[in-house]
Amino acid sequence: MQSTIQPSILHAESETPKFTIECVRCHSLYQTDELVCKNDNGLLRTSYTSRHLHMHDLPGIGKFLDWLPVTAQINTPASPVTYKSTGLARELGLTNLYIGFNGYWPEQGAHIQTCSFKELEAYPTLQLMQESGNNKIVLASAGNTGRAFAHAAVGTDIDVYIVVPESGMSKMWLPEEPTDNIHLISMADTCDYADAIQMAGKIANLPGMRSEGGVRNVARRDGMGTVMLDAAVTMGRMPDHYFQAIGSGTGGIAAWEASLRLRADGRYGETLPRLHLIQNLPFAPILNAWQHSRRDIVEEIDMPDPKKLIDRMYADVLSNRHPPYSMPGGVYDALTDTNGAMYGISTQEARQAKTLFERSEGIDIVAPAAVGVAGLVQAVQEDALNKDDFILLNITGGGVERLKEDFTLHHLQPEFKLDSQDIDIELIVR
Ligand SMILES: [Zn+2]
């Protein structure tokens, strides 16, 4: 296997590469912007030269620069904020419950202006793309990812093409005026997220265009992994448990990978946090496969008639028909390595959890985050935790109502509305 390391990715002071990208299974090395192992389809993972996490004195996720796959500083106020809960902790009878808050809540030091942890992925991704010489990227989004990438791209010279199903259009707002390097393409309401993914795949094949890469993009996973890093730095140790609502499960993989790095650092404990990943019923293919101890998702069993199931979800952004579950280094491996657990949450449970969280913590949260809170409630009810365990609850989005007090939201308008895959895509990208 050819192993080439991009020479531009170097520490400023030395000739040692800051990081390499390697396959989790066969350990072949790849270029920094490669997305897949040609030998075995394994996930590629970043290996950082710096075994210890040195915090940089910067406001946003730039403080984790040592373990982000970029060279230049990242300038954004966006970062996860970890704080010890009193309100929800009291309600649930827990003594060491920490909230990883990803949203807008300036009183708590949280400045993610698109109110979603997807923004943690967007900044390192755009910078990695630029550092790798790419300035046209395309991605599919159910809404939150698209909003985050659009915001991170405002005022840059990267053209970002975002394909969103009609159901995600209401989530495509920005806290500022959009700039003309942001291109929104909407799919008709007969199409779902899977159709948007297919269309983005076609656009990615055009000359000069790069796919953002989804789960296979190391900058996205390492960006999301900062939620675990921030928690460990705040607690002075890794948590015993990590709770997050998932659609694809990429956030779960990212949390696991971050904890592997923290374990290797040596200062944050030896035991990996147990992953508690939560899906929103009735669409829960990962839950179904995991409960039957299967490494593979069987479509007919685990998600029969997916469009109908997705229609009945409380948080439909948590639907992903092709989650990275089976691949080497994917969700199955993450759950196995951490003795993880899966949960299924109904609409009613999610609604109750939203009310409980907002009343006890004093900040609004988005629907997927409420599903995560409901998973924690279920784990407590099932005695899956000890009351003094160190718990990290990833609130993947919140503070939209708080943001509206300070900002005017600008809704993005699509440049194209497509009602099928059958279109000359060269018309879209000129
Ligand atoms: Zn490989």
Side-chain angles (χ1 to χ4, degrees), residues 23-28 30 37-42:
C23 172
V24 298
R25 178 179 270 181
C26 70
H27 304 290
S28 300
Y30 283 92
C37 177
K38 292 171 180 68
N39 300 330
D40 51 25
N41 195 40

